[in-house]
Amino acid sequence: MTGSSRWSDLLPRIASGFVMLAAGGYAIWAGGLVFAALIAVCCGVMIWELARMLQPGSRAVPLQLGGLAGAAVLAAAYVPVQFGLPLLAAPAMAGFSQIGAQRRYWLSFALWVLLAGFGFIWLRSQLGMNWLLWLAGVVIATDVAGYFAGKILGGPKFWPRVSPKKTWSGTAAGWAAAAGAGAVFALSTDAGFALLALSVLISMASQAGDIAESALKRKTGVKDSSALIPGHGGLFDRFDGMLGASAMVIILMLLGALPNGVA
């Protein structure tokens, strides 16, 4: 691979990354309906992408399921949790009878997208803006460090059968960058340096989400979930790590493992 082809996707990745960062940053700051609506749209698009991957010959079904998913996530944000969870499960169950042979993949991945996506709304409302900034900072640091370390250092592949481009150097660099992001938040809040270890754990969960989506793409024989984002592929390609991180933070929150002082 030549030097120019190795970095051919860098400029579109940077440009689209800035757009996503600006939109996401504003929504996190605004909270409320603005944030809930953005998350609902993202979940709807990711469900549309997932349905297209699993049933590529259909146009109507992915659109219907994507629209239903977005509406369910937005509605779930404004009802008690005991009513919100059935709402989130409804699009997954609706697609179960329509996806066909890939329905087991559909159910597991659709539930993951919907619950983890809704988790962002829950975290924003329950813990405030700073926790979401920490979460986003850890995932972004993991992605950026992993991308550049993998491109520059190369080396042995992390899991070539599932994700051929990921290297051990990129994976380890992601952990180190996540610890650095955790240190920044630890120094600027009263959370303490336990946040470093938690940041590495979140980084690992982010990478696990990325690997899970890579495995699904290999199973379905697609390169990207869609072509919506220049240099990144689809929303599912871009936010699979965020979904993994969100799921881990929710688990840590339920276990009472998050330190005080950040919210």
Side-chain angles (χ1 to χ4, degrees), residues 58-205:
S58 173
R59 291 186 178 183
V61 170
L63 285 172
Q64 292 166 1
L65 292 174
L68 180 61
V73 171
L74 188 58
Y78 292 96
V79 299
V81 173
Q82 62 267 31
F83 299 113
L85 293 179
L87 278 174
L88 294 172
M93 299 308 299
F96 187 77
S97 61
Q98 301 183 58
I99 295 300
Q102 307 284 7
R103 60 183 54 174
R104 57 176 178 168
Y105 296 105
W106 161 260
L107 190 60
S108 57
F109 278 87
L111 287 173
W112 173 40
V113 169
L114 292 163
L115 293 174
F118 173 75
F120 286 108
I121 301 174
W122 188 48
L123 291 170
R124 178 65 178 86
S125 64
Q126 296 297 313
L127 296 181
M129 180 175 67
N130 285 339
W131 273 114
L132 269 181
L133 291 175
W134 164 69
L135 176 64
V138 167
V139 175
I140 292 171
T142 298
D143 285 350
V144 171
Y147 175 82
F148 282 103
K151 292 281 189 181
I152 295 170
L153 301 177
K157 301 298 183 181
F158 179 77
W159 198 346
R161 288 183 58 190
V162 174
S163 187
K165 293 184 179 180
K166 288 182 174 55
T167 61
W168 273 106
S169 62
T171 301
W175 298 340
V184 170
F185 276 84
L187 289 170
S188 59
T189 66
D190 298 326
F193 281 93
L195 203 60
L196 274 70
L198 290 176
S199 296
V200 175
L201 185 61
I202 295 300
S203 175
M204 292 178 176

